[in-house]
């Protein structure tokens, strides 16, 4: 049995009804949007399909929502399935979805079988643009090059400040940047900080992520006797998220800001397990509380009055920061990566020098002594995010970029092909 037939068989066993499945259709699902003749066709390639909607999944849905405002037929590829709700959400926004077993960029060579499969999809659907939702995809872009099709990469990684990712790929940051530039006709970055990383021989378009401000309309009720500072990670908090910095901060605040409480919001990790054990043994400050995972950003933000972002890696956008501000929660964050693009220091939130816990402590103390400032800053932050990072702003910016791409290449489809009608 061929690999796409195995995928199709597993999907059927899971209760899914495929539009059609054959050797040319490796797990193809019809979308709810109809093919429109005369419009260009874009193949949007996702890089993740986890059990929960995290940043990768949500960024893809944001991109699809924005593309709905453009006269283009969108087909999506996923590296795996397993999250039916996510698959349904993609089908609502696309012409169709392919499930293909492609990997993220690592030290291994590209998969020739997957490349050939992407070539078949590109040719069968007369795809005009292949759009990778991350720098971490290779095979789809290689296939596009072989078919002389325009390539777009959404850069969401500041690889020059991400040693762990460079180690996974097995190349230096400069070598990775050179390959990304070579694979792409156009690069779309999710922040100016990301764009600077990839501006070499071609311009980079900046299209920030979108934040659902309406969903995050959450009152920020402050109890002066217990002001809650939360550190958040949907994947779970660990050392690279600044967990040690948080514990140091909490310990310093026990006496000088006794009304401060520090919440760790996210899945259990080995680092958190150790901290919980330490707290039983009175090695971890008592003003630290382990909240656990919360399903939605709204539920996360309802837990805290102020959000902390103490990441040791350079955030390429800072979705949690933007969501906090949209939910009227001021943020205390390190001044690096893309976070300064989101924060107006002292107006909507606070910035501290990288890993300067003394500065963090002063900001916590200041807010604990002046709690009325918290909702005031939070409201200013919500206005800022509404103005600059709403879905309508994303849609307009992406539409401008794609209009330029289609116009520059004069891409006009002679009629997209419904693969189920191809013999």
């Amino acid at each position: 049995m061929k690999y796409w037939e195995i995928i199709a068989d597993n999907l059927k066993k899971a209760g899914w009804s495929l539009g059609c499945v054959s050797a040319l259709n490796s797990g193809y699902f019809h979308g709810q949007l109809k093919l429109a003749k005369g419009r260009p066709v874009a193949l949007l390639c996702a890089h993740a399909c986890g059990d929960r909607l995290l940043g990768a999944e949500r960024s893809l849905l944001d991109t699809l929502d924005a593309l709905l405002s453009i006269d283009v037929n969108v087909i999506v590829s996923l590296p795996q399935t397993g999250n039916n709700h996510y698959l349904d959400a993609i089908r609502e926004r696309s012409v169709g979805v392919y499930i293909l077993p492609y990997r993220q960029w690592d030290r291994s060579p590209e998969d020739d079988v997957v490349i050939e499969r992407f070539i078949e999809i590109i040719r069968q659907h007369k795809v005009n643009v292949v759009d990778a939702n991350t720098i971490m995809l290779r095979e789809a872009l290689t296939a596009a090059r072989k078919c002389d099709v325009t390539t777009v990469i959404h850069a969401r990684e500041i690889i020059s400040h991400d040693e762990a990712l460079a180690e996974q790929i097995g190349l230096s940051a400069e070598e990775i940047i050179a390959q990304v530039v070579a694979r792409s006709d156009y690069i779309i970055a999710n922040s100016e900080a990301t764009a600077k990383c990839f501006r070499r021989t071609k311009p980079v378009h900046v299209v920030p992520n979108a934040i659902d401000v309406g969903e995050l309309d959450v009152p920020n009720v402050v109890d002066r006797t217990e002001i809650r500072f939360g550190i958040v990670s949907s994947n779970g908090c660990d050392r690279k998220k600044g967990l040690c910095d948080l514990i140091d901060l909490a310990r310093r605040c026990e006496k000088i800001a006794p009304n401060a409480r520090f919440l760790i919001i996210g899945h259990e990790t080995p680092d958190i397990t150790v901290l919980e054990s330490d707290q039983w043994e009175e090695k971890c400050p008592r003003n630290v509380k382990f909240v656990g995972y919360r399903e939605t950003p709204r539920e996360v933000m309802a837990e805290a009055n102020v959000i902390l972002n103490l990441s040791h890696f350079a955030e390429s956008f800072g979705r949690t920061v933007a969501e906090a501000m949209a939910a009227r929660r001021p943020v205390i964050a390190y001044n690096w990566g893309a976070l300064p693009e989101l924060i107006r220091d002292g107006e909507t939130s606070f910035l501290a020098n990288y890993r300067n816990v003394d500065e963090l402590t002063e900001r916590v103390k200041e807010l604990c002594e002046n709690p009325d400032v918290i909702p005031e800053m939070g409201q200013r932050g919500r206005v800022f995010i509404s103005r600059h990072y709403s879905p309508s702003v994303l849609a307009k910016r992406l539409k401008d970029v794609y209009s330029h791409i289609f116009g520059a290449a004069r891409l006009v489809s002679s009629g997209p092909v419904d693969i189920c009608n191809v013999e």
Side-chain angles (χ1 to χ4, degrees):
M1 182 178 287
K2 297 178 179 178
Y3 76 87
W4 53 78
E5 294 174 326
I6 295 173
I7 293 172
D9 184 58
N10 289 338
L11 292 171
K12 285 182 176 179
K13 289 177 180 177
W16 284 100
S17 176
L18 302 185
C20 56
V21 179
S22 70
L24 290 177
N25 302 81
S26 48
Y28 179 73
F29 295 85
H30 279 301
Q32 294 187 15
L33 302 184
K34 294 183 179 180
L35 285 158
K37 292 185 178 181
R39 293 181 180 177
V41 181
L43 173 61
L44 179 60
C45 304
H47 62 293
C49 182
D51 295 336
R52 304 181 304 279
L53 296 188
L54 305 180
E57 291 84 359
R58 288 158 67 191
S59 68
L60 185 91
L61 293 178
D62 288 344
T63 300
L64 277 171
D65 284 335
L67 288 174
L68 287 176
S69 67
I70 303 172
D71 292 334
V72 56
N73 295 295
V74 183
I75 300 163
V76 177
S77 71
L78 288 173
Q80 62 189 45
T81 188
N83 186 332
N84 293 349
H85 295 298
Y86 183 47
L87 185 55
D88 284 340
I90 293 174
R91 292 177 69 195
E92 289 173 3
R93 297 163 168 84
S94 66
V95 170
V97 184
Y98 283 93
I99 312 298
L100 292 172
Y102 52 88
R103 300 188 306 271
Q104 292 192 26
W105 192 359
D106 58 19
R107 294 170 179 267
S108 61
E110 294 183 55
D111 189 322
D112 290 336
V113 174
V114 173
I115 292 171
E116 288 302 315
R117 184 66 192 104
F118 271 119
I119 289 174
E120 291 173 354
I121 292 171
I122 290 168
R123 289 175 175 169
Q124 291 293 344
H125 287 282
K126 299 184 179 179
V127 170
N128 301 110
V129 174
V130 171
D131 186 326
N133 198 47
T134 172
I135 69 169
M136 297 300 292
L137 300 181
R138 296 178 293 175
E139 284 86 355
L141 298 168
T142 297
R145 283 283 187 251
K146 289 178 179 290
C147 295
D148 196 26
V149 165
T150 300
T151 57
V152 179
I153 293 179
H154 285 256
R156 305 181 188 277
E157 302 84 3
I158 305 179
I159 193 64
S160 55
H161 293 291
D162 197 332
E163 294 180 2
L165 194 59
E167 174 65 22
Q168 173 187 324
I169 294 171
L171 298 172
S172 69
E174 285 302 316
E175 289 171 323
I176 294 167
I177 291 168
Q179 290 201 24
V180 170
V181 170
R183 289 189 185 119
S184 59
D185 294 310
Y186 297 89
I187 297 176
I188 300 174
N190 62 347
S191 67
E192 182 60 33
T194 307
K196 287 179 181 178
C197 181
F198 292 97
R199 271 193 195 113
R200 293 297 190 271
T201 59
K202 64 184 67 173
V204 178
H205 302 272
V206 178
V207 181
N209 295 339
I211 301 300
D212 189 344
V213 179
E215 176 63 23
L216 288 163
D217 188 1
V218 185
N220 193 353
V221 180
V222 180
D223 179 353
R224 291 170 174 268
T225 66
E226 187 175 280
I227 299 174
R228 295 164 292 148
F229 297 81
I231 187 170
V232 181
S233 176
S234 51
N235 287 322
C237 291
D238 54 21
R239 293 176 186 274
K240 69 179 183 179
K241 283 289 186 179
L243 200 53
C244 292
D245 298 10
L246 175 77
I247 299 305
D248 188 7
L249 172 63
R251 185 170 286 113
R252 295 182 187 209
C253 289
E254 281 186 297
K255 291 183 178 180
I256 67 170
N259 55 338
R261 300 293 180 271
F262 296 90
L263 314 182
I264 298 174
I265 308 170
H267 279 285
E268 187 89 359
T269 64
D271 287 337
I272 291 178
T273 300
V274 170
L275 282 176
E276 288 178 312
S277 176
D278 285 348
Q279 196 171 60
W280 279 106
E281 298 174 9
E282 300 187 351
K283 296 178 183 178
C284 176
R286 287 294 176 182
N287 57 0
V288 174
K289 181 180 178 182
F290 303 91
V291 175
Y293 177 68
R294 294 294 180 267
E295 188 69 30
T296 66
R298 184 183 180 89
E299 291 172 327
V300 168
M301 298 309 160
E303 294 286 347
N305 302 120
V306 180
I307 294 297
L308 302 169
N309 186 301
L310 311 179
S311 293
H312 288 187
F313 59 91
E315 300 262 10
S316 68
F317 175 69
R319 182 181 287 273
T320 299
V321 169
E323 288 175 341
M325 293 168 64
R328 299 185 179 87
R329 270 66 182 168
V331 176
I332 302 174
Y334 288 140
N335 186 15
W336 81 315
L339 302 189
E341 298 174 41
L342 295 171
I343 291 173
R344 297 297 178 263
D345 187 29
E347 179 184 345
T348 63
S349 293
F350 289 119
L351 291 169
N353 288 319
Y354 180 61
R355 301 209 64 185
N356 190 322
V357 182
D358 287 337
E359 289 187 29
L360 298 178
T361 304
E362 285 301 312
R363 294 310 188 189
V364 169
K365 181 175 181 288
E366 180 179 343
L367 291 177
C368 286
E369 291 176 349
N370 303 280
D372 290 341
V373 170
I374 294 173
E376 292 172 3
M377 295 186 79
Q379 182 58 34
R380 289 195 292 268
R382 179 173 171 81
V383 170
F384 177 81
I385 295 298
S386 300
R387 187 172 297 159
H388 298 285
Y389 296 95
S390 68
S392 62
V393 172
L394 168 66
K396 182 182 184 305
R397 292 192 181 186
L398 197 61
K399 185 174 183 178
D400 289 345
V401 174
Y402 257 88
S403 295
H404 173 73
I405 292 171
F406 291 144
R410 296 183 179 178
L411 300 177
V412 178
S413 172
S414 60
V417 179
D418 185 338
I419 198 166
C420 291
N421 294 326
V422 176
E423 295 183 359

